[in-house]
Each structure stands twice: as C-alpha cells, then as structure tokens.
Amino acid sequence: MSSTVGKVIRCKAAVAWEAGKPLVIEQVEVAPPQAMEVRVKILITALCHTDVYFWEAKGQTPVFPRIFGHEAAGIVESVGKGVTELKPGDHVLPVFTGECKECRHCKSEESNMCDLLRINTDRGVMLNDGKSRFSINGKPIYHFVGTSTFSEYTVVHVGCLAKINPAAPLDKVCILSCGISTGLGATLNVAKPPKGSSVAIFGLGAVGLAAAEGARIAGASRIIGVDLNPNRFHQAKKFGVTEFVNPKDYDKPVQEVLAEMTGGGVDRSVECTGSINAMISAFECVHDGWGVAVLVGVPNKDDAFKTHPMNFLNEKTLKGTFFGNYKPRTDLPNVVEMYMRKELELEKFITHEVCLSEINKAFELMLQGDSLRCIIRMDA
C-alpha cells in the first residue's frame, strides 16, 4: 500500500449521477487524505435503506453526482496530518456519524451526538476544506454522510472510523456500522429490558430484527413482533421473536391488544418504523409504573406525537435514541467483540451478496422488500 501514499488513487466506484437512476460503475480519482482524514481501502460494503432513501431524493435536498454507501469495512491505506490513533493496515468500520472526543457530547457518558461529526445528509464535501476528495476528469463527485463506501477507496474523517479486531470477518461485521447497531443498541443501551421481561418490537425490518436480537441477548422471555406484513413473521423467529401481532387483524388499537396479551402492558417496547401511529402505540402499550418505550424510526417532518399526559403521570417512560446510543470509536469495537464471542449473531441478517458491478441488483432487492442486508464485494 505504501506506493500509493500521498498520491491520487484511481479506482472503481458506483456513481449516482441523478436521483432514482441506476448507479454507474466509473473510474474515479480519490485524493490523498488531508489533516485529520484517513484514506480507506473498502473491501466490503452493504446496502442500507438510508442509501436508497437519499438516492430516490423524493423529500430531501438532491446532491448529485454522488457516491453513496455507509455500511462497510476496510483497511487503512494512509492517514493525514494529525491522525495518531490509526495507521496503515488497521481494520476499520466507517460510520455515518462520528466521535471527535473533544465536544461536550463526546465527553458526556450520556450522549453520542458529536457536535462536529453528527450526521449531515446535505453535506457532500469534507469538513477540512469544503471540497470533495472524489473527482472524474476534474469534476467533483460528492460524498454521502462522510463515508461514501460504494468506492474501492474513500476518504473519511478520523472521528468517523472505528478501529476493530483484525481477526473479525469484515464480510460479517461490516453491517454493524449502521442499522444493526442502531436496533441492537436501542434495546440493550436504552430500553434495557430485565431478564424475563416482555418486549414489543414495532417493525420487523433489519433495524427491528436487530432490536429483537438485543431483547434475545438480554434474556427477555416474551418478544412480540408487531408488523403489517405477515410475511415477515417466519423470518423473525430466527431473531428470538416468540409472538406476532398484525394490527390489521384487530378492530381495536394494537396497544389495547398488547395490553390484554400481557396483563396490562409490555415491560419494554422499541419502535422501528418511523410511523407516527406506531410510535404512539409503542408508548401507550407499555405497562404503567415501569414500562419504557424507545423510538428509533425517523418520522415525517410534519408529524406530531399526541398522547394523553396521564400516560406520563402513570409512570410510563418515553425515550428516543440515535445510533443505539453507541459512540462509534469507543463502543463499536466492543460490539464487534460481542460477535467474536458468539453472543451476537450477524449471519442471519445477510440475505444476499453481489459484486460491485451488480450493485443495482442490490437496490432492486431492497425496493422489492426481499433483502435485509445485501453485502457488496469490491474484489469480485
């Protein structure tokens, strides 16, 4: 790798030239890292629904041409000035949010919402100089959430890279850099279900199943999956879900159904859909006195959460979470170790695999609802 240090690298990348149009495999130029930046050789990446959402660009600021991708694993190729925690050859997970270790949030044990490196979906350039490190024939190609992993090489701020155990299989742990950690942490770090408790999971997509996996690890005795799609129920059994509720099967609010099933309400609930009605149901279905509901899904901008204040006075607790309350650099290496100790199962989340040249197939599978996680190999 040393022969490329300080030089522009030419490599393949999947470029989104326009919103909703198929990605194109292009030869791109990747500039060397500047101060506090790291250039990473991406070996494995994965497709997350967030990539698809911003590629469609139906409700956000369109930033194109762009290189998407934010769930990945790779090896450090070179580091910029001021980078001391990483060196060439280190195995890393790029993360869409960061940890500068200097701001009030990073110094707080209660927050992971870094002032400097918190997710910014509109920014397509690096913080250092406001420019992109990607180009084609001198024309800039924009970054996505500071990671842009649909490229054989990418440049990332050092605060958005988690150094991990080099023995960990990158084609498995790559999925920990976004959705799986978000759901897992929502349960383990925020809901914190006691052993033997009951947990309701709203939404059985990848994030919801990761929340269920967290409930399984915590020792919950009842894990109730709530989803409008009954086709998801069979798959959810692999993640510890013991019972299923489809709100469409009842003529009363699902929170009442859950309360009847559990003698007054579940001990914990985790909402992973982004539906405002599901959020309200997730809160109102927890038991009074000790019930805790955790919101994970991102609502529409005009949504308003409405519930009677007596729910709070009856000692039900409502919490929210961002990236499962994990600090990327501090905590993600420990999540990788959970997998290495066989406490956390990742293989069951990976439903498909393609090579970079087939990346549009991964988008098709996601849009059809057939994929939890499709991993994309760079070397195929």
Side-chain angles (χ1 to χ4, degrees), residues 99 109 111-112 162 189 323-338:
E99 182 184 354
E109 293 183 2
S111 175
N112 65 342
N189 298 335
F323 192 48
N325 279 36
Y326 286 120
K327 292 177 184 281
R329 297 161 84 182
T330 300
D331 297 330
L332 270 196
N334 298 327
V335 182
V336 170
E337 293 308 314
M338 285 178 64

Side-chain angles (χ1 to χ4, degrees), residues 9-153:
I9 290 179
R10 291 171 179 80
C11 69
K12 290 179 184 176
V15 178
W17 289 99
E18 297 179 62
K21 297 292 176 66
L23 275 57
V24 180
I25 305 301
E26 304 277 13
Q27 193 82 3
V28 301
E29 296 182 341
V30 185
Q34 295 195 12
M36 303 308 290
E37 296 174 0
V38 178
R39 189 159 61 185
V40 178
K41 179 179 175 62
I42 298 295
L43 298 181
I44 297 283
T45 187
L47 181 65
C48 170
H49 193 268
T50 304
D51 295 306
V52 177
Y53 181 73
F54 284 93
W55 165 72
E56 290 178 318
K58 291 178 178 176
Q60 326 83 25
T61 305
V63 182
F64 295 94
R66 199 171 209 182
I67 297 174
F68 285 99
H70 64 284
E71 283 191 357
I75 298 175
V76 173
E77 175 269 340
S78 60
V79 302
K81 184 178 179 182
V83 175
T84 57
E85 291 188 21
L86 293 172
K87 63 184 185 305
D90 283 344
H91 288 211
V92 291
L93 300 181
V95 187
F96 66 91
T97 187
E99 182 184 354
C100 73
K101 297 193 174 182
E102 298 296 329
C103 70
R104 287 180 66 191
H105 284 278
C106 287
K107 289 181 176 179
S108 165
E109 293 183 2
E110 299 181 78
S111 175
N112 65 342
M113 303 189 75
C114 176
D115 280 331
L116 179 68
L117 300 170
R118 192 180 307 184
I119 184 173
N120 184 325
T121 56
D122 293 338
R123 188 174 62 231
V125 294
M126 300 300 288
L127 284 171
N128 185 291
D129 60 358
K131 295 179 180 178
S132 174
R133 301 290 173 261
F134 298 107
S135 62
I136 297 178
N137 299 324
K139 176 182 172 63
I141 308 295
Y142 294 109
H143 296 250
F144 176 62
V145 294
T147 53
S148 293
T149 60
F150 293 166
S151 174
E152 292 178 317
Y153 286 86

Side-chain angles (χ1 to χ4, degrees), residues 298-349:
V298 179
N300 293 323
K301 62 178 183 178
D302 296 327
D303 283 339
F305 187 96
K306 187 176 180 181
T307 191
H308 197 283
M310 280 306 299
N311 286 314
F312 294 100
L313 297 178
N314 287 333
E315 299 181 1
K316 297 184 179 188
T317 299
L318 179 66
K319 294 186 174 185
T321 179
F322 171 69
F323 192 48
N325 279 36
Y326 286 120
K327 292 177 184 281
R329 297 161 84 182
T330 300
D331 297 330
L332 270 196
N334 298 327
V335 182
V336 170
E337 293 308 314
M338 285 178 64
Y339 169 75
M340 296 298 281
R341 293 191 300 266
K342 299 189 176 354
E343 297 168 14
L344 167 64
E345 300 170 12
L346 294 178
E347 287 82 358
K348 58 194 176 185
F349 287 98

